[in-house]
Amino acid sequence: MIGFYNFSVVLTYIGLASAVLGMTQACDGNYKIAIICLMFCGLCDMFDGRIARAMKRSEDAQKFGIQIDSLCDLVCFGVFPAILGYAFGARGLFGNVCLVVYVLGAVIRLGYFNVMEEKRQKETNECRKEYQGLPVTSAAVIFPLVFLLKDTDKVSFSNLWEIAMLFVAFLFILDFKVKKPDKIAVYVFLILAIIVAGRIFFTL
């Protein structure tokens, strides 16, 4: 078979599978399961890079890993939240504009990251310490938190999701520095995921 196969790549594929499952669940109205799938995508992405850096890989395998990671990120954190928005009721001119702008922002962010990451790796072997713009993987944290506001009476939830997509899309392409998550951030994400998952299943 073509391609390169190792544990980090397989973990990336598992995250992609979770996104596809989540999109089908969102279309069927199983929103809680869909949001859990989104958080699981973030969990897979958080560890696949760490595992990849700890492995010995050929130059081709490294390049393949970067491309696969970005392609899967586009589906998991670009298309998936947009499908969720559509399932939640993002319709009409404004809703469709929000969906398009969000996915477009994710594409631009990932394309720019690929170019700059390839350039950076030619210049240094040091691990990246900062990101330019908000990483698309942050969708795995932001949108589950937005989902917790689903039962609010102050604003339509579909409108709230649309506004969140526009805001996040802008942060994707805004030129500002974001510190790369460290081990503490990983633990914080795990704790947050458990809390959010518990609230989603037992209170919403």
Side-chain angles (χ1 to χ4, degrees), residues 39-181:
M39 289 191 293
F40 185 73
C41 290
L43 191 65
C44 291
D45 183 82
M46 184 172 290
F47 287 103
D48 63 3
R50 295 174 183 273
I51 293 172
R53 287 189 294 272
M55 299 175 60
K56 289 185 178 181
R57 298 176 296 165
S58 66
E59 183 178 349
D60 288 340
Q62 292 179 22
K63 291 182 178 180
F64 180 81
I66 292 173
Q67 295 303 319
I68 286 297
D69 187 63
S70 288
L71 289 170
C72 290
D73 282 353
L74 177 59
V75 176
C76 295
F77 311 112
V79 178
F80 188 4
I83 293 297
L84 277 167
Y86 184 80
F88 288 141
R91 300 288 195 279
L93 178 60
F94 181 70
N96 281 281
V97 167
C98 292
L99 297 175
V100 171
V101 168
Y102 177 78
V103 176
L104 182 60
V107 169
I108 294 172
R109 172 69 179 80
L110 288 167
Y112 183 78
F113 173 81
N114 284 356
V115 172
M116 299 309 295
E117 181 64 13
E118 184 176 352
K119 178 181 178 181
R120 188 190 70 84
Q121 290 188 4
K122 291 180 180 178
E123 297 174 349
T124 178
N125 292 324
E126 294 182 359
C127 293
R128 178 181 290 275
K129 297 181 180 179
E130 293 180 330
Y131 292 116
Q132 281 182 276
L134 186 70
V136 296
T137 53
S138 61
V141 176
I142 295 172
F143 289 108
L145 293 176
V146 174
F147 184 73
L148 293 179
L149 302 175
K150 189 174 186 299
D151 290 337
T152 182
D153 296 327
K154 295 182 179 180
V155 64
S156 167
F157 181 66
S158 63
N159 292 144
L160 183 63
W161 196 274
E162 291 165 349
I163 293 171
M165 284 194 297
L166 284 180
F167 182 69
V168 173
F170 175 72
L171 293 180
F172 283 162
I173 62 175
L174 186 64
D175 188 8
F176 69 104
K177 301 294 184 182
V178 178
K179 184 179 179 181
K180 186 176 181 180

